[in-house]
Amino acid sequence: MPDNNQIASLFEKMAVLCELNGDNVFKVRAYQKAALILKNLERDVSVMSIDELIAIKGIGKSIAAHIKEISEKGSFSEFEELKSKYPAGLLELTEIRGLGAKRAKILYEKLKVDSVNKLYEAAKSKKIRALDGFGEKFENSIIEAIEKKSALPQRFLYHNAIKIAREIVAWLKNNGYKKVEYAGSLRRRKDTIGDIDILYVGDGSGMVKFAKSEFVKDVLSLGQQKASFILKNNIQCDIRVFKENEFGAALCYFTGSKAHNIRLREIALKRNLILNEYGLFSKSSKEKIAGKFEEDIYKKLGLVYIPPELREDSGEIEMAQSGKKFDLVELKDIKGDIHCHSAYTDGANSIDEICDYLSKRYCWAYIGDHSVPLNFVKGLDFKSYIKTRNEVLSINKKYKNKFFERSVELEILKNGELAFEKEQLKDVSLVIAAVHTSLRLNRKEQTERMIKAINNPYCDVVAHLTQRIINERDEMDMDYDRIFEVAAKNGTIFEVNGQPDRMDLNDVNIKRVISLGLKVVLSSDAHSIEQFDYIEYSLNNVRRAGLSRKDVLNCLDFKEFKDFIEENRKRRGGL
DNA sequence: GCCGTTTTCGGCCCGACTGTTTTCAGTCG
Ligand SMILES: Nc1nc2c(ncn2[C@H]2C[C@H](O)[C@@H](COP(=O)(O)OP(=O)(O)OP(=O)(O)O)O2)c(=O)[nH]1
Ligand SMILES: [Mg+2]
Ligand SMILES: [Mg+2]
Ligand SMILES: [Zn+2]
């Protein structure tokens, strides 16, 4: 069964093919939109009925039928037909910056260019400039774009991108610009970031100066209101300049997402208004109605303010129209962390140091560590768990009104058993079950393994369920639908791991487990004191999933949390 | 291809930068 992302990727390819085929641009956009919808959808479309599919805004009869066909056959005939019309290499041409479908089509028809290699040859041998509507500069820009393409990686970790963004904001402020913000996917706090989007109040001279700064490797474009650069670390940076009284509208525009912007602009039109990055205007008189403050844009469109994390056009506009304020969980609501590592296994700090730090930060915490059989990190056996738990409890006595306990990141063995015996498990305060080995079992085996673990009454929390490592390792191949179904019966708590390259569960999976009535728990999975801040990345994901305090167990008091765990075990036949 | 509190046909967000360009198309945000 293909998952939503796989189906989305087919529709993205279909969009490119339609473009190359010279189809209606709105048909192309319909496929792009459908792909986006699927990527943000928490339900598995492959098991939905045609009627259910059509009920989704942006999915109609044709695309619903395609989804059905893909679910059964892995692809759809219209796509396969179109694909067979063109060489496979043609699809990759539009990935070259500055080359879109229109000119790719001409290059293919006139010069038989059907791959990036042939495009490069054609440009080098100066054949492109001879074509009507093409020229020397275009030819050179193509050569440059191809030569530099391989250096550009996919998407960046939020953790890495935000650091660079903050440096650039500071640089602009140092250069005298008082109002500077990062926007785009960074402000929406997506787990991966395509580029760094920055806006400031001032004039174009700031961008000219930035172009000559240490940050910049290449200048892609440089105008009066906007510029694009490739930075030294190969990330793209887009900068826009505005006037003070435009800043709210500008921030709204540049924060996006694109789909969210389009919805806002459509709502404006229905009210006889025009929304762009400079403000909200009356369509007839051109009079300005809002622009200085972002809040005013939403207000004048009849919407409550929408937190940036939710701006994906995945239901937030409808919620904002209902008039009810958003109530997302905040950092100050977090009362404890459950998952970290001490020097007993692969952490950098002693339990003493960890407790000292956490006593200043939280009301409570579970200090964790790896378990057997992870020998390479000196995973704890049951005896050493008990011994070190006593150490935690004794250290706890030093702190008034703080509660420290011991958790263990317990291995889910290849056969789905937990690494400690049942008799031992009842003496473990918090079991955070995790897979770290045998990641490549086949789908069926991996699914059964996970289900067996989840059915264990002592499997309190499942850590980083999918085991993805962003840009390095895909999610484990499992039947997530079934796993979540079993989890719903067990009341399983899913961890939202905040390690920058994990951020697992992601936003969409969080929505999925919450819709099943389950709760999540945030964790930094800190391996050193500094890494306790990674819980902010978990927070990003749950805010993007729209969660409030009631869905996040870190917002409970210690006793409430402990009771929750115990209740859960009892109900499932443990204790 | 999708959609509809005027619509089942005729619209579909809006603007900056570049170069193919002297009034606009292509591409991108
Ligand atoms: N109205 C409108 N706004 C757009 C369009 N494309 C982009 N934007 C706005 C919203 C985006 O969030 C913002 C920045 O564009 P980006 O291409 O950098 O996208 P974004 O940062 O959302 O995602 P990314 O992680 O960079 O891929 O510009 C568009 O076609 N129309
Ligand atoms: Mg961006
Ligand atoms: Mg951008
Ligand atoms: Zn861990």
Side-chain angles (χ1 to χ4, degrees):
Chain A
M1 277 284 199
D3 66 30
N4 289 4
N5 286 326
Q6 289 162 333
I7 300 175
S9 142
L10 277 180
F11 288 155
E12 276 166 0
K13 290 200 183 94
M14 181 67 180
V16 178
L17 279 172
C18 288
E19 244 185 321
L20 289 167
N21 201 42
D23 289 353
N24 181 339
V25 286
F26 296 104
K27 180 177 172 181
V28 173
R29 276 176 219 173
Y31 276 108
Q32 287 167 342
K33 187 75 203 296
L36 202 64
I37 290 168
L38 295 197
K39 282 201 248 176
N40 284 322
L41 196 71
E42 64 269 28
R43 282 166 297 160
D44 205 337
V45 290
S46 64
V47 297
M48 287 167 71
S49 71
I50 292 271
D51 284 343
E52 286 172 316
L53 289 169
I54 288 175
I56 301 171
K57 205 167 150 290
I59 310 255
K61 268 188 179 167
S62 303
I63 290 183
H66 294 333
I67 291 174
K68 277 280 127 204
E69 197 181 340
I70 296 166
S71 306
E72 283 154 24
K73 300 186 203 153
S75 185
F76 61 110
S77 49
E78 226 179 295
F79 173 70
E80 291 300 324
E81 276 163 33
L82 208 49
K83 206 170 78 171
S84 65
K85 252 177 93 175
Y86 299 99
L90 213 52
L91 278 170
E92 68 190 32
L93 287 187
T94 57
E95 284 166 27
I96 308 291
R97 201 198 145 83
L99 181 59
K102 290 246 163 49
R103 284 185 293 200
K105 186 176 164 72
I106 296 172
L107 290 171
Y108 170 60
E109 282 165 358
K110 298 269 154 94
L111 298 178
K112 299 200 166 46
V113 165
D114 60 5
S115 68
V116 173
N117 276 345
K118 284 195 187 155
L119 176 66
Y120 190 70
E121 282 169 31
K124 275 286 188 192
S125 55
K126 305 189 196 313
K127 282 182 192 149
I128 293 177
R129 64 179 67 176
L131 297 176
D132 259 5
F134 291 77
E136 193 180 336
K137 282 189 177 164
F138 175 77
E139 207 172 61
N140 290 332
S141 76
I142 288 295
I143 292 172
E144 202 183 327
I146 294 174
E147 283 173 351
K148 286 175 175 162
K149 186 175 183 281
S150 58
L152 299 178
Q154 330 79 345
R155 295 177 63 81
F156 289 77
L157 299 186
Y158 176 88
H159 173 72
N160 294 332
I162 191 74
K163 274 196 266 187
I164 304 165
R166 288 192 176 123
E167 284 172 28
I168 296 171
V169 169
W171 186 92
L172 282 163
K173 287 195 168 165
N174 268 336
N175 279 270
Y177 299 99
K178 293 199 181 68
K179 214 165 169 65
V180 189
E181 297 274 357
Y182 60 80
S185 48
L186 270 172
R187 184 158 180 255
R188 300 200 312 281
R189 295 172 187 267
K190 269 185 74 118
D191 50 7
T192 65
I193 301 297
D195 68 351
I196 294 172
D197 300 297
I198 292 193
L199 71 165
Y200 68 90
V201 170
D203 59 18
S205 64
M207 296 189 299
V208 174
K209 200 163 171 197
F210 182 75
K212 294 175 195 141
S213 76
E214 277 295 295
F215 290 100
V216 173
K217 187 163 97 181
D218 282 310
V219 179
L220 298 173
S221 70
L222 180 56
Q224 288 302 301
Q225 8 267 327
K226 121 181 209 187
S228 288
F229 309 99
I230 299 292
L231 305 182
K232 291 263 163 68
N233 17 36
N234 282 326
I235 190 165
Q236 182 172 328
C237 175
D238 296 332
I239 303 191
R240 290 216 52 169
V241 194
F242 293 94
K243 298 199 191 79
E244 175 91 48
N245 65 354
E246 298 165 342
F247 200 75
L251 187 60
C252 183
Y253 152 74
F254 216 25
T255 297
S257 63
K258 173 179 168 176
H260 180 86
N261 287 354
I262 291 175
R263 286 296 305 280
L264 292 186
R265 288 168 185 213
E266 284 169 354
I267 291 169
L269 287 174
K270 283 200 195 114
R271 297 179 164 233
N272 262 318
L273 303 171
I274 288 191
L275 176 63
N276 57 31
E277 59 264 54
Y278 303 105
L280 183 64
F281 305 89
S282 155
K283 210 169 171 182
S284 45
S285 68
K286 307 281 178 254
E287 185 199 351
K288 189 162 174 176
I289 287 157
K292 186 155 193 217
F293 302 106
E294 202 179 34
E295 290 80 359
D296 293 345
I297 306 280
Y298 288 97
K299 200 186 280 172
K300 299 283 184 193
L301 291 176
L303 304 169
V304 302
Y305 179 77
I306 301 176
E309 291 93 329
L310 298 178
R311 301 184 192 170
E312 302 287 349
D313 187 24
S314 50
E316 79 282 5
I317 306 253
E318 288 73 14
M319 285 180 74
Q321 279 169 332
S322 81
K324 202 167 143 253
K325 284 222 170 72
F326 292 94
D327 180 31
L328 298 185
V329 55
E330 292 172 34
L331 193 57
K332 67 170 169 51
D333 300 323
I334 305 299
K335 296 182 177 169
D337 195 344
I338 60 147
H339 180 177
C340 63
H341 296 266
S342 82
Y344 279 117
T345 60
D346 58 349
N349 298 94
S350 68
I351 289 182
D352 229 342
E353 289 164 339
I354 291 171
C355 289
D356 179 58
Y357 171 81
L358 289 177
S359 70
K360 292 165 198 150
R361 178 162 186 165
Y362 293 126
C363 307
W364 55 268
Y366 285 79
I367 319 298
D369 262 312
H370 282 295
S371 82
V372 286
L374 281 190
N375 293 325
F376 60 93
V377 291
K378 302 169 288 177
L380 306 177
D381 58 17
F382 178 67
K383 235 174 99 187
S384 34
Y385 167 80
I386 293 296
K387 192 160 157 272
T388 52
R389 174 172 184 244
N390 288 333
E391 183 185 341
V392 171
L393 295 181
S394 119
I395 289 173
N396 190 190
K397 293 194 184 113
K398 287 200 289 190
Y399 303 97
K400 280 216 177 73
N401 298 322
K402 301 283 170 187
F403 303 92
F404 295 123
E405 251 291 4
R406 185 91 166 125
S407 57
V408 61
E409 186 173 10
L410 195 63
E411 288 304 299
I412 298 174
L413 306 177
K414 194 173 169 185
N415 62 7
E417 303 270 357
L418 299 182
F420 291 175
E421 303 289 329
K422 266 224 162 89
E423 270 312 296
Q424 304 173 327
L425 284 170
K426 65 179 177 4
D427 293 324
V428 177
S429 320
L430 184 67
V431 171
I432 304 172
V435 165
H436 290 101
T437 56
S438 305
L439 304 183
R440 289 161 183 275
L441 297 185
N442 70 41
R443 183 182 174 92
K444 187 161 175 292
E445 287 171 330
Q446 199 68 279
T447 305
E448 292 309 323
R449 174 194 196 184
M450 187 58 74
I451 284 176
K452 182 158 184 200
I454 286 176
N455 276 328
N456 187 316
Y458 295 96
C459 175
D460 302 315
V461 175
V462 174
H464 44 64
L465 172 73
T466 76
Q467 269 290 5
R468 75 161 175 178
I469 301 290
I470 297 171
N471 289 343
E472 281 178 35
R473 188 169 71 206
D474 283 342
E475 301 184 339
M476 281 196 295
D477 185 19
M478 302 190 285
D479 185 343
Y480 287 95
D481 248 13
R482 267 195 70 209
I483 288 169
F484 288 136
E485 204 177 292
V486 175
K489 288 203 187 102
N490 279 282
T492 307
I493 302 163
F494 284 98
E495 176 198 54
V496 180
N497 189 293
Q499 288 286 315
D501 55 357
R502 287 191 183 271
M503 301 191 66
D504 183 10
L505 303 179
N506 69 6
D507 48 7
V508 176
N509 278 330
I510 294 168
K511 282 196 239 177
R512 231 166 132 172
V513 301
I514 293 297
S515 73
L516 290 168
L518 296 172
K519 307 276 183 203
V520 297
V521 63
L522 313 188
S523 96
S524 62
D525 195 0
H527 287 63
S528 66
I529 296 291
E530 306 78 61
Q531 292 189 3
F532 280 104
D533 283 341
Y534 288 170
I535 201 147
E536 292 179 35
Y537 301 149
S538 317
L539 186 71
N540 288 351
N541 275 6
V542 293
R543 283 175 60 88
R544 285 180 53 78
L547 269 53
S548 60
R549 281 178 292 276
K550 67 176 189 341
D551 298 316
V552 177
L553 296 178
N554 311 67
C555 301
L556 297 178
D557 290 327
F558 179 65
K559 173 131 191 351
E560 292 171 328
F561 182 84
K562 213 172 131 212
D563 290 348
F564 191 95
I565 299 295
E566 272 175 26
E567 283 302 311
N568 230 1
R569 285 184 181 186
K570 269 190 205 146
R571 198 167 34 75
R572 301 149 75 199
L575 290 183

